[in-house]
């Protein structure tokens, strides 16, 4: 069996694909069950974070394993296999080990060196263990990845290079300045009560915000988080919990909003944010020049025939002619959408004229011509820089995947939105600490050691089976000798037994030590097969030793 990982991350896929492929807890559970039920795989674990989705498996065939894992990811994410495939990466054997160890050390994170990934790896292993989809290989691999990550953070200064996504996001909200100075005295609204939202709330409390309001679909969890914040000794924040239906009112009062929920649709639309800004300032927010205004009366579809969009899932205020509709479309889909829009399938509303709808349709047609040469319309979530932009009155941080806050909020003046996509852009230019090179060396050393240990462990059952066979031969020969020489006393029988055992042990010692050394080297797994063939070992005996070792190993859980 061999380790295989198939996945996609912020390095391989645009945010629009990542958010569509995001897996909730139920989807992860079903994916794990279906993976171990598939023919090529015997073990499985899923690592799903806000910027990566990876499926790890122990497979017996590489090509069949890649095909099966890719298909399963597509089925459970809801993104078609043909569309998903260009964004997938595959790592096998030592490369897969190297990848996970690099992820655990924060080398593959959006913010290099961040330590939150260790908790996510631990959660992934615990889930696989609870569902009984992790066997010896994945248990050993993930537990060792946790140890490698902890070693990197304790032995190097990688923490100086990395921050949590929350801290980095708040720094971006603060315009790159001091977060404490920016946050002091502000009112914050945190939507969600999971690990990321809790971290954001605690970070804001330590930064000196005056009030934190926690909103969550499960009110008890919101209350618990508010109590923890209120009782903490390292801050003096006032914290309270509200239900989700109170979010619109709280949004009008909040200076800072952090959202990270597991919702599949938008939590905050552009319309709701615009209304909050109007409630604070008494004036409707102005949109950036050159971009379509976000209005609740945006054109709505009157028919869905030939429309490539999922109109049933469209959020209130969604414009089928807007930027969010066409971002990421390929050329063929965009042409289909242009034909549909030009056919009069949207009704003018809110002061829009038929001529303006035709202009939008012409724009889509022009974009289709561009897409024909580059293959796909690039995502454009952020407004073009403008000479004068009003100072923000509301700061929003969206850490969810898929996104909680409508990307169209970027267009609103008086609002600063930082989301996963803008964080990816900002982190691309972030300086990397010199300690990163040292972490890379640690990863390389640990990968080599893990590979050697796995290869050596692979031959151990065969060596144990060989020694068991030798012991059985000795016992049989001693019994036969006792039958032929019944007059021997106990002392003589003991001397003969010890002499035969010493001979067998000396004959087996050097070969078994040497074969373990050879097996630990790259390409050494074939020595186990050679040993079984040379000594005609019973495959079932070897397998029984492996099963006994597996039952012992699976008792271990990460601390």
């Amino acid at each position: 069996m061999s380790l295989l990982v198939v996945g996609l991350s912020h390095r391989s896929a645009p945010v629009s694909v990542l958010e569509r492929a995001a897996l909730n807890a139920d989807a992860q559970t079903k994916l794990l069950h279906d993976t171990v039920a598939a023919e090529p795989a015997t073990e499985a674990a899923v690592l799903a974070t806000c910027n990566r989705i990876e499926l790890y498996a122990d497979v017996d065939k590489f090509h069949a394993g890649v095909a099966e894992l890719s298909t399963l990811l597509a089925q459970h994410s809801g993104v078609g296999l043909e569309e998903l495939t260009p964004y997938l990466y595959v790592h096998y054997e030592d490369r897969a080990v190297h990848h996970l160890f690099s992820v655990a050390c924060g080398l593959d994170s959006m913010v290099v060196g961040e330590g939150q990934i260790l908790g996510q790896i631990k959660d992934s292993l615990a889930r696989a263990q609870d569902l009984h989809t992790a066997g010896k290989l994945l248990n050993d691999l993930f537990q060792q990845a946790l140890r490698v990550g902890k070693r990197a953070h304790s032995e190097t200064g990688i923490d100086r290079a990395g921050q949590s996504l929350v801290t980095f996001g708040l720094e971006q909200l603060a315009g790159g300045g001091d977060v404490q100075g920016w946050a002091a005295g502000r009112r914050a609204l945190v939507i969600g009560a999971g690990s990321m939202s809790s971290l954001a709330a605690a970070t804001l409390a330590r930064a000196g915000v005056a009030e934190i309001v926690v909103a969550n679909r499960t009110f008890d969890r919101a209350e618990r988080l508010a109590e923890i914040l209120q009782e903490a000794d390292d801050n003096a924040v006032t914290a309270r919990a509200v239900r989700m239906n109170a979010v619109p009112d709280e949004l009008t009062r909040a200076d800072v909003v952090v959202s990270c929920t597991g919702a599949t649709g938008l939590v905050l639309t552009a319309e709701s944010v615009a209304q909050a800004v109007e409630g604070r300032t008494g004036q409707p927010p102005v949109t950036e020049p050159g971009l379509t205004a976000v209005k609740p009366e945006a054109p709505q579809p009157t028919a869905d025939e030939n429309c490539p969009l999922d109109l049933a899932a469209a959020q209130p205020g969604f414009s089928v002619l807007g930027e969010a509709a066409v971002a990421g479309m390929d050329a063929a889909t965009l042409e289909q959408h242009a034909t549909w829009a030009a056919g009069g399938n949207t009704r003018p509303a809110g002061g829009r004229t038929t001529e303006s709808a035709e202009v939008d349709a012409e724009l889509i047609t022009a974009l289709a011509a561009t897409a024909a040469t580059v293959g796909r319309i690039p995502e454009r979530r952020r407004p073009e820089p403008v000479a004068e932009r009003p100072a923000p009155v509301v700061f929003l941080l969206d850490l969810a995947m898929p996104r909680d806050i409508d990307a169209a909020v970027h267009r609103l003046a008086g609002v600063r939105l930082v989301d996963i996509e803008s964080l990816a852009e900002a982190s691309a230019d972030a300086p990397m600490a010199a300690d990163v090179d040292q972490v890379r060396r640690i990863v390389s050393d640990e990968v080599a050691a893990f590979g050697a240990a796995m290869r050596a462990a692979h031959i151990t059952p065969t060596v144990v089976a060989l020694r068991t066979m030798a012991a059985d031969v000795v016992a049989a020969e001693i019994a036969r000798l006792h039958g032929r020489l019944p007059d021997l006393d106990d002392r003589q029988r003991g001397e003969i037994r010890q002499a035969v055992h010493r001979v067998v042990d000396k004959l087996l010692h050097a070969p078994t030590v040497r074969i373990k050394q050879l097996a630990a080297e790259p390409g050494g797994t074939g020595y186990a097969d050679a040993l079984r063939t040379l000594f005609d070992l019973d495959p079932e005996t070897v397998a029984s030793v492996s099963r006994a070792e597996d039952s012992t190993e699976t008792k271990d859980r990460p601390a």
Side-chain angles (χ1 to χ4, degrees):
M1 303 301 284
S2 302
L3 177 65
L4 175 67
V5 56
V6 177
L8 66 161
S9 74
H10 64 100
R11 294 184 182 275
S12 69
V15 172
S16 62
V17 175
L18 278 174
E19 64 182 1
R20 289 170 54 208
L23 301 172
N24 58 30
D26 289 340
Q28 292 179 45
T29 297
K30 293 175 182 176
L31 175 58
L32 287 173
H33 284 313
D34 287 353
T35 302
V36 294
E39 183 178 345
T42 58
E43 301 181 33
V46 173
L47 178 58
T49 72
C50 60
N51 52 31
R52 76 177 63 251
I53 304 148
E54 296 176 344
L55 178 56
Y56 292 77
D58 187 6
V59 300
D60 57 1
K61 299 174 183 176
F62 173 73
H63 293 291
V66 171
E68 187 66 32
L69 266 60
S70 300
T71 300
L72 288 169
L73 275 175
Q75 289 176 351
H76 290 274
S77 68
V79 180
L81 180 60
E82 184 176 346
E83 181 181 359
L84 191 64
T85 298
Y87 305 113
L88 294 176
Y89 47 76
V90 175
H91 298 297
Y92 190 58
E93 292 287 38
D94 284 353
R95 290 302 306 169
V97 176
H98 189 282
H99 175 73
L100 181 59
F101 287 4
S102 297
V103 169
C105 293
L107 293 180
D108 198 59
S109 295
M110 187 178 294
V111 181
V112 174
E114 59 93 10
Q116 189 177 7
I117 186 65
L118 286 174
Q120 294 163 332
I121 291 175
K122 184 177 180 180
D123 291 342
S124 296
L125 175 57
R127 181 183 300 108
Q129 289 175 330
D130 290 340
L131 296 173
H132 305 290
T133 64
K136 178 174 173 53
L137 176 60
L138 293 186
N139 269 291
D140 289 348
L141 174 68
F142 273 66
Q143 289 181 20
Q144 186 61 25
L146 292 171
R147 287 189 284 267
V148 173
K150 292 175 182 177
R151 178 188 169 192
H153 284 279
S154 64
E155 296 184 10
T156 75
I158 191 68
D159 289 329
R160 294 194 297 270
Q163 309 154 297
S164 73
L165 206 58
V166 169
T167 304
F168 189 60
L170 292 176
E171 286 189 353
Q172 295 302 304
L173 280 186
D178 176 52
V179 173
Q180 288 190 329
W182 164 80
R186 295 185 185 271
R187 294 186 297 270
L189 169 62
V190 175
I191 305 176
S195 58
M196 188 78 81
S197 299
S198 300
L199 178 60
T203 304
L204 286 168
R206 288 193 297 269
V209 295
E211 179 188 42
I212 296 179
V213 178
V214 182
N216 192 57
R217 283 185 170 81
T218 305
F219 184 63
D220 290 345
R221 296 190 64 183
E223 281 190 314
R224 178 57 183 152
L225 177 54
E227 289 174 3
I228 293 173
L229 295 170
Q230 189 76 49
E231 296 170 0
D233 296 331
D234 56 351
N235 64 70
V237 71
T238 298
R240 57 188 175 88
V242 299
R243 301 185 186 278
M244 287 296 290
N245 58 11
V247 165
D249 291 335
E250 297 297 340
L251 190 60
T252 304
R253 300 179 64 252
D255 303 303
V256 183
V257 180
V258 179
S259 188
C260 186
T261 72
T264 55
L266 293 176
V267 175
L268 297 179
T269 64
E271 176 190 357
S272 64
V273 175
Q275 290 173 345
V277 174
E278 184 174 358
R280 292 175 64 92
T281 63
Q283 297 290 331
V286 180
T287 55
E288 291 296 328
L291 293 174
T292 305
V294 179
K295 300 178 181 178
E297 62 272 13
Q300 296 299 306
T302 57
D304 60 4
E305 184 178 0
N306 298 321
C307 179
L309 301 176
D310 182 7
L311 299 178
Q315 298 291 321
F318 176 80
S319 171
V320 296
L321 301 176
E323 173 188 322
V326 301
M329 278 188 181
D330 57 32
T333 306
L334 199 54
E335 289 178 0
Q336 179 187 353
H337 185 53
T339 302
W340 177 83
N345 292 294
T346 58
R347 55 177 174 81
R352 288 174 56 86
T353 64
T354 302
E355 289 75 14
S356 65
E358 291 175 352
V359 169
D360 283 336
E362 292 175 0
L363 173 61
I364 295 176
T365 304
L367 288 172
T370 302
T373 61
V374 300
R376 183 177 295 276
I377 287 296
E379 292 183 273
R380 182 177 174 224
R381 304 294 191 191
R382 305 177 70 185
E384 295 293 333
V386 293
E388 294 183 3
R389 183 180 176 97
V393 296
V394 178
F395 299 82
L396 300 102
L397 176 59
D398 185 358
L399 298 173
M401 183 64 69
R403 70 180 74 238
D404 279 348
I405 303 175
D406 191 348
V409 170
H410 279 301
R411 306 169 183 169
L412 297 176
V415 178
R416 178 176 295 165
L417 169 62
V418 172
D419 53 18
I420 293 296
E421 189 168 28
S422 54
L423 283 174
E425 293 173 6
S427 64
D429 299 326
M432 294 174 62
D435 300 272
V436 168
D437 288 337
Q438 186 178 351
V439 173
R440 289 194 178 118
R441 288 192 292 271
I442 288 176
V443 169
S444 296
D445 292 344
E446 291 284 357
V447 169
F450 184 82
M454 288 294 101
R455 289 186 289 270
H458 179 71
I459 204 168
T460 297
T462 303
V463 172
V464 172
L466 174 62
R467 288 191 171 276
T468 301
M469 183 196 74
D472 291 342
V473 170
V474 169
E477 289 301 316
I478 292 296
R480 190 175 67 85
L481 182 63
H482 290 169
R484 295 179 60 185
L485 301 173
D487 296 334
L488 293 176
D489 57 32
D490 291 341
R491 186 185 63 80
Q492 293 171 326
R493 293 176 188 274
E495 288 291 341
I496 294 173
R497 185 182 302 106
Q498 290 182 10
V500 174
H501 275 293
R502 281 196 297 269
V503 170
V504 171
D505 287 342
K506 288 182 178 180
L507 287 174
L508 291 181
H509 176 72
T512 53
V513 169
R514 183 58 179 151
I515 204 167
K516 286 182 178 180
Q517 294 171 341
L518 293 171
E521 298 175 359
T525 54
Y527 287 100
D529 295 331
L531 201 63
R532 286 194 294 270
T533 301
L534 287 171
F535 288 91
D536 194 23
L537 298 176
D538 182 6
E540 179 56 32
T541 302
V542 177
S544 65
V545 175
S546 298
R547 286 194 296 270
E549 289 188 344
D550 287 349
S551 65
T552 301
E553 292 291 337
T554 53
K555 293 178 183 178
D556 296 330
R557 292 278 182 116

